[in-house]
Amino acid sequence: MDYLNWLKKEYSGSVNVSDETINDYINSAKMDSQLFREFIKVLGFLIFVVPFNLYLSISEVVTFNSIYYWLIVIFSSFIGVLVALYCEQTLIKKQLKKTINAKHLNKI
């Protein structure tokens, strides 16, 4: 996601900051939330992908050798990645909002 353009749209007229400063804020937000974002990814995988695929294996709705089984596994993994990406972007956006509000909007 292009967080620079998102920040410019979000704070269109209220904050006048250089692009280098905003990029520093973006990198800082990514670094500050990196461990928590990785935790969310692993947790999402363990909660969504593993139980769903385990259920498919145990229930034998679709056999392990079937192409449908592997398509369902790939699809459920794709859904898990999309949910993790959404959570990651939301965390970074919250961190950026908090940083911008603390450093620039309190001065106005």
Side-chain angles (χ1 to χ4, degrees), residues 32-62:
D32 290 345
S33 63
Q34 184 175 5
L35 183 63
F36 188 64
R37 288 185 294 128
E38 293 301 321
F39 174 72
I40 293 293
K41 287 178 190 177
V42 171
L43 187 65
F45 183 77
L46 291 175
I47 289 175
F48 182 74
V49 177
V50 171
F52 183 72
N53 292 324
L54 189 62
Y55 171 75
L56 281 176
S57 296
I58 292 172
S59 68
E60 295 182 9
V61 172
V62 181

Side-chain angles (χ1 to χ4, degrees), residues 3-82:
Y3 296 106
L4 182 63
N5 286 334
W6 175 79
L7 274 174
K8 286 180 180 180
K9 288 178 186 176
E10 188 74 19
Y11 298 101
S12 60
S14 58
V15 177
N16 190 11
V17 183
S18 69
D19 288 351
E20 292 96 21
T21 305
I22 292 176
N23 282 328
D24 290 340
Y25 293 158
I26 293 169
N27 290 334
S28 175
K30 286 180 179 180
M31 295 307 288
D32 290 345
S33 63
Q34 184 175 5
L35 183 63
F36 188 64
R37 288 185 294 128
E38 293 301 321
F39 174 72
I40 293 293
K41 287 178 190 177
V42 171
L43 187 65
F45 183 77
L46 291 175
I47 289 175
F48 182 74
V49 177
V50 171
F52 183 72
N53 292 324
L54 189 62
Y55 171 75
L56 281 176
S57 296
I58 292 172
S59 68
E60 295 182 9
V61 172
V62 181
T63 62
F64 184 73
N65 295 332
S66 172
I67 188 73
Y68 296 116
Y69 174 83
W70 291 106
L71 288 174
I72 292 170
V73 168
I74 290 170
F75 181 73
S76 67
S77 298
F78 182 72
I79 296 296
V81 167
L82 288 179

